[in-house]
Amino acid sequence: MQQTNTVVETETQVPLGWRERLSPSKIDKIPGRYNLPRMFRKSGHSTKQMRESGSTRSVAALQTSFKITDTFELLRTRRWSVFDAQHVVLAGLCIFSIWIIEPSAPIIKSAAALGYLLLLLMPITRQFFLPSWPIWTYLLYFFSSRFIPYDVRPDIFVKVLPALEDILYGTNFSSTFAKWTNPVLDVFAWFPYGLGHFGLPAICSAIMFIFAAPGTVPMFAKSFGWMSTLGVSIQLFFPCTPPWYERLHGLEPAKYGMQGSPAGLARIDALFGVDMYTTSFTTAPVPFGAFPSLHAADAILEALFISYCFPKLKGLCIFYVCWICWATMYLNHHYAVDLLGGGIIAYSIFFVVRKFWLPRPQPGKTYRWQYEYVEVGEMKKNKALDEELGYGHVGAGKRSIDYANEFTVLDSFMHSGSSSGSSSPTTSIRSDRSNRRTD
């Protein structure tokens, strides 16, 4: 009986609230952004294994394996989430796009699909072709849209964009900018619209791959691909005529099958004596895809990512966005409202990606190989959670330091559905949190 009383007295010495805090039900309620990476919890890695992994592998490392079995093992042990539905959507769009392309050529189509599937299964290629899958889907979707039967498409809107232009701005900026043209302005507008639009995504990707945090380029590729796919879908379901149509045909009803127009880019072809744009724009898959402007959306998304990774370049990014927006109207390809629509889509996607998945730049890190760990998203203070984890008023000021040491997050491959398995934290995780006192 005396021994029993001793035990009871020992239990009463435990600070009030700790038993409840340390219960499994309470620990499981900790938000995901404060938990250890799901990949290690799912595969049963211990803290010791995480330390050993961090000592031998780099968060910036790339996969070099060709073994397809590695991918199957990753799929077998993967903890699936609702975000993995994106791959089902991409697969569906690819199958639909391949199916409607004429001629049928089933052997060629099947070989192309199996070839890309092989790229997704080999780890050395998966780390590049899985994050960029939305981009390839967008290109295939855009090209194949020309084969959608006319009788199932919606009517083409001719008067909507000019009316919105008058309501929002009181004038037609595209018509105003396109009135005065000369060869110097033509070339000045051609650089961002005819060259930068096609080449800058690759240039930005290369710069961010080398100088930004690991995992930034996959997020950029996904954002770019999904934004472009959404833009093409809006153009197909809400087809609108661009300014060059109003200039050539007025407000007459438009019909599918009508040729497109290079508009101001025809002057570039005439200036250089080369057919760079006349044929391609005349036979464009989506000639009535004025809204939203993907030229503006792409430029704004690139500017947002570059400004986030390299704040000192923000001024240059703003200049480029203004430059290409002016060029789209000067060359008579878009209304100002098209630019607004593209900008809203680009910023909305960037806002969500930055909040949840985009790796945060770290001071003093110039190259990706200098990163020892990666933190993602916008981590904000949670007073209730700080108290639950043992941070009092004294420890609250040091929360950011402790967080950097104890709750490191892996590369965005691992939590965005694009796991490459190449990232691992290198900071140690202390196991003496239970010794911390808050009284």
Side-chain angles (χ1 to χ4, degrees), residues 182 187 218 362:
N182 63 68
V187 174
Q362 297 176 9

Side-chain angles (χ1 to χ4, degrees), residues 115-350:
Y116 196 84
L117 180 61
L118 180 63
L119 294 175
L120 295 179
L121 291 177
M122 292 189 298
I124 192 172
T125 54
R126 186 188 71 235
Q127 61 190 333
F128 300 109
F129 285 92
L130 185 58
S132 62
W133 190 6
I135 296 179
W136 303 114
T137 301
Y138 148 66
L139 295 174
L140 179 62
Y141 183 40
F142 175 75
F143 170 79
S144 63
S145 61
R146 69 172 75 236
F147 298 102
I148 299 177
Y150 296 158
D151 55 352
V152 300
R153 298 191 185 191
D155 295 332
I156 302 172
F157 297 92
V158 177
K159 302 178 182 179
V160 172
L161 295 184
L164 288 175
E165 193 88 348
D166 292 335
I167 293 173
L168 294 176
Y169 310 112
T171 185
N172 189 325
F173 283 108
S174 180
S175 178
T176 301
F177 289 138
K179 284 183 180 178
W180 297 279
T181 63
N182 63 68
V184 176
L185 290 178
D186 291 343
V187 174
F188 186 68
W190 167 60
F191 273 107
Y193 193 89
L195 297 179
H197 174 68
F198 301 101
L200 202 59
I203 296 175
C204 290
S205 298
I207 293 175
M208 288 186 289
F209 180 80
I210 298 175
F211 300 104
T216 302
V217 174
M219 288 296 100
F220 174 70
K222 286 190 172 187
S223 302
F224 189 92
W226 279 110
M227 179 192 67
S228 301
T229 302
L230 176 62
V232 171
S233 298
I234 295 175
Q235 293 171 355
L236 292 176
F237 286 98
F238 182 59
C240 297
T241 55
W244 59 258
Y245 182 90
E246 183 181 2
R247 194 169 188 176
L248 295 176
H249 306 284
L251 298 179
E252 297 178 0
K255 298 179 180 180
Y256 290 107
M258 299 178 65
Q259 290 186 337
S261 172
L265 290 176
R267 299 192 296 270
I268 297 297
D269 287 354
L271 181 64
F272 294 104
V274 180
D275 184 1
M276 291 186 290
Y277 304 102
T278 300
T279 300
S280 59
F281 276 84
T282 301
T283 60
V286 189
F288 302 119
F291 183 89
S293 170
L294 289 181
H295 277 77
D298 293 351
I300 292 173
L301 187 70
E302 293 156 3
L304 290 171
F305 268 87
I306 293 296
S307 299
Y308 176 82
C309 298
F310 315 104
K312 293 182 179 180
L313 299 180
K314 184 177 295 185
L316 179 62
C317 293
I318 294 175
F319 169 77
Y320 179 76
V321 169
C322 296
W323 187 12
I324 196 170
C325 287
W326 165 81
T328 61
M329 293 183 288
Y330 172 80
L331 296 173
N332 219 215
H333 278 269
H334 286 287
Y335 294 100
V337 69
D338 305 335
L339 311 179
L340 178 63
I344 292 175
I345 294 175
Y347 183 78
S348 300
I349 291 179
F350 175 78

